[in-house]
Amino acid sequence: MDIENTTPALVLESVVKEHAAGPSRVAAVRDASLHIARGEIVVVCGESGAGKSSLLQVAGCLQSPTRGAVYVDGCDVAGLGVNGSADLRRRRIGFVFQEYNLMSALTARENVALPLELDGVRRADRQAHAALQEVGIADLAGRFPEEMSGGQRQRVAIARALIGPRRLVIADEPTGALDSASSRVVRETLVERARQHGAGVLVGTHDREWLSVADRVLEMSDGVLSHATRGPE
C-alpha cells in the first residue's frame, strides 16, 4: 500500500479521562498513550467497564480528555474549539457503533450522504450509492432503517463512516449484535478501508474474531491500556 501522507491517523499522549461520581471523580482512562499509523488496524480488548468506550470517545473527539493530548491526522484537537472539533469529526473521522445511530426519517442513501451534504459536496448521493455498493447493500438504498435487519443497518452505518476522505475510523463493538456472516462483512470492509485507502482503524471489542485481522492487539483493564502486541500472522 502506497500512502503518500505519513502523518499518523491518531496520536494519544498520556491521556487521562475522569468522570464525576458523586463528590469524587473516577478515572475511566489512566495515562494512555497510543500511535496509529494510516493503514493500521489496532484492536483494544477488555471486559465491560474496562474503559474501552471512554478511550474511543476521546480518540474520536466525542469527549475531551481530562488531561493529555489528542492528535487526529496531525491536528491538535485541543486547539480546534467546539466548531473545529465538529468539523474534524464530520470530515476526517468515521464512527461505527453497535447501536448504528442512523436517522430513522432518512433512507439508507440519505443517511450515508448526510456528512457530505452538510459540507455542500456535489453529487453526494452518487458517492453514497457507491459506499453502499462497497458494503454490498446498494439494492437497499431507498429503504428506511426500520425496514432493514440489524446487519443491514450496521452496513449502512459503516458506509456512512467510510464516505469521504476519512483518516480515522473508530469502531466501538461494531459486531456485538450481529450474526457471523454480517460480522465477517463488517471486518472485511474495515480491513479494506485500512489497507487500500490508508485509514487508521481503532476497534474496541469483546469479539475475539477481530484478533485475526489486527496489526496490533491491546488489552484494557481498569482504565489502563497495556503494551501493544502484534496480531496473529
Side-chain angles (χ1 to χ4, degrees):
M1 177 181 59
D2 181 16
I3 303 176
E4 294 182 1
N5 186 353
T6 58
T7 300
L10 173 69
V11 175
L12 304 181
E13 294 182 349
S14 302
V15 164
V16 173
K17 180 60 182 178
E18 296 177 341
H19 299 290
S24 61
R25 299 185 67 82
V26 175
V29 180
R30 304 170 185 266
D31 197 29
S33 294
L34 177 62
H35 179 293
I36 299 180
R38 291 184 59 186
E40 184 179 23
I41 300 170
V42 175
V43 172
V44 179
C45 297
E47 300 298 324
S48 296
K52 299 191 306 297
S53 291
S54 293
L55 178 75
L56 268 59
Q57 290 184 12
V58 170
C61 306
L62 293 172
Q63 294 187 16
S64 298
T66 305
R67 293 187 295 278
V70 179
Y71 300 87
V72 175
D73 197 30
C75 293
D76 182 353
V77 175
L80 295 178
V82 175
N83 292 335
S85 294
D87 289 344
L88 181 72
R89 289 193 301 270
R90 188 172 68 249
R91 296 169 180 169
R92 302 195 197 183
I93 307 174
F95 298 95
V96 184
F97 300 111
Q98 184 174 343
E99 296 82 8
Y100 318 128
N101 292 341
L102 300 177
M103 299 188 69
S104 60
L106 301 182
T107 65
R109 182 189 295 109
E110 291 167 342
N111 265 286
V112 175
L114 185 59
L116 297 185
E117 290 181 339
L118 290 173
D119 273 341
V121 175
R122 297 180 60 190
R123 298 179 178 176
D125 57 335
R126 289 191 181 183
Q127 293 190 47
H129 190 84
L132 289 169
Q133 192 168 32
E134 184 178 352
V135 297
I137 55 169
D139 57 320
L140 304 181
R143 291 193 187 180
F144 292 93
E146 66 180 13
E147 300 172 327
M148 293 180 283
S149 68
Q152 290 167 343
R153 289 195 293 270
Q154 188 62 296
R155 294 194 201 189
V156 175
I158 289 174
R160 181 185 58 190
L162 301 185
I163 196 168
R166 305 303 178 98
R167 298 293 183 250
L168 175 66
V169 178
I170 304 285
D172 192 359
E173 295 290 357
T175 55
L178 304 183
D179 58 34
S180 58
S182 296
S183 295
R184 184 174 62 254
V185 171
V186 170
R187 288 193 299 274
E188 290 175 350
T189 302
L190 292 182
V191 168
E192 173 74 10
R193 174 58 51 148
R195 304 301 188 229
Q196 300 299 323
H197 299 276
V201 177
L202 176 61
V203 180
T205 185
H206 291 94
D207 184 355
R208 310 301 287 189
E209 293 295 327
W210 280 96
L211 306 189
S212 65
V213 301
D215 295 305
R216 283 186 289 151
V217 179
L218 296 87
E219 293 286 340
M220 197 160 194
S221 178
D222 295 326
V224 177
L225 196 62
S226 73
H227 293 292
T229 60
R230 290 191 59 82
E233 297 296 337

